[in-house]
Amino acid sequence: MGICAMIDIKLIRENADFVKERLSHKQFKTPETVDQILQIDEQRRKLQQALDVVLNESNVAAKSIGSLMREGNTDGAEALKMAVAGLKQQEKQIKEQLAAAETQQQALAIQLPNLPHALVPAGASAQQNEEVKQGGRMPALPQGAAPHWELIKTYDLIDFETGAKIAGSGFPLYKGKGAKLQRALVSYFLDYNIAAGYTEYSPPYMINADSAFATGQLPDKEGQMYHMEADSLYMIPTAEVPVTNVYRDVMLKAEDLPIRMTAYSPCFRREAGSFGAQVRGLNRVHQFEKVEIIELVEPQHSMQTLDAMVAHVEQLLQNLELPYRILRLCGGDMGFASAITYDFEVFSAAQERWLEVSSVSNFESFQANRLKCRYKNAEGKTQLVHTLNGSSLALPRIVAALLENNQTPSGIALPQVLHSYFGSGVIS
RNA sequence: GGUGAGGUGGAUGAGUGGCUGAAAUCAGUAGUUUGCUAAACUGCCGUACGGGUUAAACUGUACCGCGGGUUCGAAUCCCGCCCUCACCGCCA
């Protein structure tokens, strides 16, 4: 078993200071981990070399014994067997040490998050995120406009109490026009993505540990996922996990790229410890609907692809006629596996709050390294692909904003693009 | 859940203890030939981690679903597990 760092071990060996500098941007608090990795790595390689020598001696001896046997020289073969007897013991001993070193190095290596891209602003928390753009028109709501949880009651769209009875708090029960609105949004989002060239997938909603590790949910976000202990499966926190894992352990050709996938799925998140005033209604739930886009591209194109994905999501928000802003996340607010992330927020006018509805990230080779998803580049060299993904879009907060921003005395006026999907232009 | 068959390189697929890192075919690739297209012929063509080199060459080790075991030596024998396929049972 090799060492599976998310960051290339060669980069750490050759440029430890650069790695530390970038990690500090991501608020990584223990730069000494890098030095520890280097130290263990050196040790590990020495052991590996020692083991190779011993194994080589065994292999050579075994071949000689084979020839002696074939010549009928049993005495010579027996003598050589005796002579070689000690090698086994040595082999066993070195193997144990090597395994220990590998385990140790692996344990350290998986603690390192992906390195942030040069564009990523410094900063420790959401306050330092950089607003790159605002768009859409702010609605002018009358005094006393209702927040979405009241509108949901008014139009009988979601029964939170019964959802709580069935499963627990944070598991909304959509009904009637609420359920239909969900379906309309999912269909519209998928069609919009398909029209842009993404291939639709409908993945498993549970994943095994290998898949969760490959995209970076394990070990970093173990506590965020629902775990089915009896079957060693996790409920997906996002379609990103099953869909990206389509290409785990796959060798691609350059002409296969880019690979562009979209998938609808429910998403399950424990959201442990995040109760409070800010989580009313649809602001934060344990189960929600989302449509995801995922791309696998050649490394030299990934930043351009990221921009294209951002533009794609932005257009979708414009089509929904929602006021939005785009944030470039600072190092401290970014995910573990991401090199650069743009968040999309819509303004939910009655709550007067910005709600995150999409997060578009370039993971560069971090996920691909864990996925072992590689391709042969133009020079015929094997190289890791770059992976990217984003939501287009997550439903509940879109629903919240649509309800709040479009409330009128005669009902909720839906944006034009949804009319055919919803079968009507208004929720009344 | 039961029974049976099977998991080998990018693909198909041979291989039941040493000369097999793995036949053959296809795909790929470099070249030769032919007036183009097509075809034919020849060479090359797995991955990972090391050593070595300016870079190569060269070289060590590991890998034939995964993990153990037997053996001087395992794709090949033994044990456990996973997965796939077929049939049966159960079931939306």
Side-chain angles (χ1 to χ4, degrees):
Chain A
M1 256 330 262
I3 296 300
C4 180
M6 59 290 333
I7 301 174
D8 191 356
I9 183 70
K10 283 177 190 156
L11 179 64
I12 301 176
R13 273 182 214 150
E14 283 158 21
N15 218 332
D17 289 338
F18 171 76
V19 170
K20 283 191 224 170
E21 187 272 323
R22 293 276 79 199
L23 284 176
S24 74
H25 247 64
K26 217 166 182 177
Q27 306 296 307
F28 186 68
K29 301 293 194 227
T30 52
E32 63 272 17
T33 303
V34 174
D35 298 313
Q36 288 165 7
I37 289 172
L38 281 174
Q39 204 184 326
I40 294 281
D41 181 55
E42 171 115 15
Q43 223 180 78
R44 199 198 93 242
R45 278 193 289 170
K46 288 227 170 82
L47 286 165
Q48 181 70 58
Q49 282 171 41
L51 179 64
D52 285 355
V53 168
V54 171
L55 287 173
N56 179 240
E57 283 176 37
S58 303
N59 287 345
V60 168
K63 283 206 173 108
S64 305
I65 292 170
S67 337
L68 290 171
M69 302 279 273
R70 247 171 289 119
E71 290 160 12
N73 184 349
T74 16
D75 289 350
E78 285 305 319
L80 193 46
K81 277 192 205 180
M82 301 295 276
V84 149
L87 287 176
K88 271 234 140 167
Q89 196 52 41
Q90 273 186 61
E91 180 188 322
K92 200 179 157 207
Q93 199 184 352
I94 300 174
K95 266 187 176 162
E96 277 166 16
Q97 292 175 25
L98 182 62
E102 277 178 357
T103 307
Q104 204 176 345
Q105 184 174 351
Q106 177 74 23
L108 289 169
I110 61 174
Q111 290 173 25
L112 299 187
N114 199 4
L115 304 181
H117 188 275
L119 281 174
V120 171
S125 72
Q127 274 72 49
Q128 281 86 48
N129 292 340
E130 187 183 318
E131 182 175 311
V132 283
K133 188 166 181 182
Q134 240 189 73
R137 216 183 58 244
M138 288 288 182
L141 292 185
Q143 278 292 15
H148 68 269
W149 50 87
E150 286 177 15
L151 296 163
I152 283 167
K153 277 215 163 66
T154 305
Y155 299 105
D156 198 17
L157 304 176
I158 303 172
D159 183 343
F160 287 103
E161 290 73 21
T162 304
K165 178 184 79 176
I166 298 167
S169 116
F171 290 93
L173 174 69
Y174 293 81
K175 60 185 284 198
K177 287 175 180 161
K180 185 158 189 188
L181 180 59
Q182 294 268 103
R183 191 150 51 84
L185 286 166
V186 168
S187 294
Y188 170 56
F189 293 168
L190 281 171
D191 285 348
Y192 173 80
N193 293 338
I194 291 164
Y198 293 94
T199 301
E200 181 180 354
Y201 282 74
S202 184
Y205 298 156
M206 295 191 203
I207 47 172
N208 58 33
D210 285 346
S211 294
F213 181 82
T215 40
Q217 275 70 27
L218 287 179
D220 185 52
K221 287 198 209 153
E222 166 126 49
Q224 270 287 4
M225 291 187 291
Y226 287 99
H227 187 200
M228 312 282 123
E229 199 143 350
D231 298 288
S232 299
L233 293 168
Y234 297 86
M235 302 296 294
I236 57 171
T238 159
E240 165 198 344
V241 183
V243 176
T244 307
N245 271 279
V246 167
Y247 287 95
R248 172 150 54 88
D249 290 319
V250 169
M251 177 74 80
L252 293 162
K253 299 180 186 122
E255 61 263 33
D256 296 331
L257 300 172
I259 286 165
R260 313 178 73 221
M261 302 177 280
T262 185
Y264 152 77
S265 85
C267 303
F268 304 91
R269 300 190 183 177
R270 295 184 63 225
E271 303 290 357
S274 62
F275 289 95
Q278 303 281 282
V279 303
R280 271 193 94 171
L282 290 172
N283 289 347
R284 173 159 286 157
V285 287
H286 288 308
Q287 178 183 322
F288 62 94
E289 323 292 299
K290 182 159 67 65
V291 175
E292 188 80 359
I293 48 177
I294 291 122
E295 298 213 27
L296 275 52
V297 303
E298 296 195 71
Q300 67 272 23
H301 298 144
S302 70
M303 285 309 284
Q304 188 188 325
T305 302
L306 179 69
D307 292 342
M309 288 171 84
V310 167
H312 177 82
V313 174
E314 182 179 5
Q315 182 62 53
L316 188 50
L317 289 173
Q318 285 176 359
N319 293 355
L320 292 170
E321 299 165 29
L322 290 169
Y324 63 89
R325 65 180 184 184
I326 306 175
L327 306 172
R328 181 149 52 212
L329 296 194
C330 72
D333 204 28
M334 275 166 55
F336 187 76
S338 174
I340 176 166
T341 296
Y342 289 94
D343 269 9
F344 284 76
E345 298 182 338
V346 296
F347 193 70
S348 205
Q351 299 183 76
E352 300 184 49
R353 283 186 64 195
W354 290 99
L355 301 175
E356 182 191 334
V357 294
S358 177
S359 189
V360 181
S361 300
N362 183 359
F363 301 94
E364 297 187 332
S365 60
F366 187 93
Q367 284 184 336
N369 193 17
R370 293 175 160 211
L371 281 172
K372 293 198 201 61
C373 178
R374 293 157 303 170
Y375 79 107
K376 297 250 192 219
N377 66 18
E379 290 87 56
K381 280 215 157 189
T382 302
Q383 200 175 354
L384 293 167
V385 302
H386 277 191
T387 63
L388 305 96
N389 69 50
S391 352
S392 76
L393 289 159
L395 293 219
R397 294 171 187 163
I398 291 288
V399 169
L402 283 176
L403 296 179
E404 292 185 15
N405 295 12
N406 298 323
Q407 54 186 297
T408 71
S410 55
I412 309 289
L414 293 175
Q416 186 67 44
V417 286
L418 293 179
H419 291 186
S420 61
Y421 288 96
F422 187 69
S424 155
V426 64
I427 300 174
S428 54

